[in-house]
Amino acid sequence: MIKISGLTKVFQAEDVQTKALNEVNFGVQEGEFVAIMGPSGCGKSTLLNIIGMLDEPTGGRYEFLGHSIFELPEKERTAIRKKHIGFVFQNFNLIDELTIFENVELPLIYLGLPTPERRIRVTEVLEKLEMVHRKKNFPMQLSGGQQQRVAVARALVVNPSLLLADEPTGNLDSLHGDDVMNLFINLNDAGTTIVMVTHSARDAEYSTRIVNLFDGQIVSERY
């Protein structure tokens, strides 16, 4: 599914140059659950953002589902991202002014799906995550664990091939964090490929492969 070779990312700020990724070679097979670990500033989130096509590398090659991503026009990259990739973030990124139903529906509006299909898909995913009874509530009326479930629902409503998660339990207590990780296990068992960035060794143990980054390079992997 993912094939990365010689990936480099350099950030330039005035006279200071920072190499966030340094000749990274990395791959993910369909159906894997991969955890990326490492200290702050090692390049974890940068790598995830490039995989998710939210950022561009300085050098190297990235193939996703057979497409050489950064050789494609931006419009095509955006279409692939919207169709195939779901994102779950530490801060939930829900819109306070929208109901739970409307938050989950938003990606389908961007895809241009008709209203009847949107209603069916949103209802199905909220039922799957046991949140349909909260569909008329607003994010601030939910607990942190419930908000993260809604964020996962929003990511899944497009039926993504790949789920990317950046510190998905970072704002949760251990109980709600375990709930989210067990949800990820169920999704992975059902066929969703997951790549997760985490500082938590506890969360990483839920994955099928742990990749360790240090100073922008992969230094170890274990299954």
Side-chain angles (χ1 to χ4, degrees):
M1 175 179 278
I2 292 171
K3 184 178 180 181
I4 284 172
S5 53
L7 199 73
T8 300
K9 179 64 178 182
V10 177
F11 292 102
Q12 185 78 43
E14 296 182 355
D15 296 330
V16 179
Q17 191 178 78
T18 303
K19 186 172 282 189
L21 297 173
N22 186 11
E23 298 290 330
V24 170
N25 299 304
F26 177 64
V28 178
Q29 299 294 323
E30 189 171 346
E32 275 197 286
F33 181 176
V34 180
I36 301 174
M37 297 192 72
S40 296
C42 73
K44 301 186 303 296
S45 293
T46 300
L47 178 58
L48 199 74
N49 286 340
I50 291 174
I51 292 171
M53 306 171 210
L54 299 177
D55 197 1
E56 294 191 22
T58 306
R61 184 177 177 87
Y62 169 35
E63 294 181 26
F64 177 70
L65 295 176
H67 301 280
S68 183
I69 292 302
F70 294 105
E71 294 177 8
L72 297 175
E74 185 175 350
K75 186 176 181 180
E76 289 185 38
R77 293 203 305 266
T78 300
I80 290 171
R81 183 178 69 242
K82 286 181 177 179
K83 183 177 180 181
H84 292 288
I85 300 179
F87 297 89
V88 180
F89 301 97
Q90 176 178 345
N91 294 322
F92 316 139
N93 286 1
L94 301 177
I95 299 173
D96 290 340
E97 293 77 19
L98 299 182
T99 65
I100 299 313
F101 189 97
E102 291 166 340
N103 266 281
V104 176
E105 182 185 29
L106 205 55
L108 302 181
I109 294 174
Y110 293 149
L111 286 174
L113 269 62
T115 301
E117 184 175 352
R118 295 201 308 266
R119 288 175 179 166
I120 291 170
R121 287 174 66 164
V122 172
T123 300
E124 285 178 349
V125 75
L126 286 175
E127 286 176 345
K128 184 177 183 178
L129 272 69
E130 300 179 355
M131 289 299 297
V132 72
H133 64 293
R134 292 287 204 167
K135 66 181 181 180
K136 293 183 180 180
N137 290 125
F138 291 89
M140 297 304 292
Q141 296 174 301
L142 306 183
S143 69
Q146 290 173 326
Q147 288 187 54
Q148 191 61 295
R149 279 184 169 267
V150 175
V152 173
R154 183 185 56 195
L156 293 179
V157 77
V158 297
N159 297 322
S161 308
L162 174 66
L163 183 66
L164 300 179
D166 194 354
E167 301 285 359
T169 68
N171 284 333
L172 304 177
D173 59 38
S174 60
L175 179 62
H176 288 116
D178 286 344
D179 285 345
V180 170
M181 294 313 302
N182 283 314
L183 175 60
F184 280 10
I185 287 289
N186 293 335
L187 294 172
N188 184 241
D189 287 345
T192 302
T193 304
I194 301 174
V195 178
M196 174 182 70
V197 159
T198 182
H199 278 102
S200 169
R202 177 185 176 130
D203 288 355
E205 291 298 330
Y206 284 88
S207 70
T208 55
R209 176 160 58 112
I210 299 174
V211 175
N212 284 287
L213 275 181
F214 187 77
D215 285 349
Q217 295 182 307
I218 293 176
V219 294
S220 67
E221 297 186 45
R222 68 177 175 88
Y223 290 84

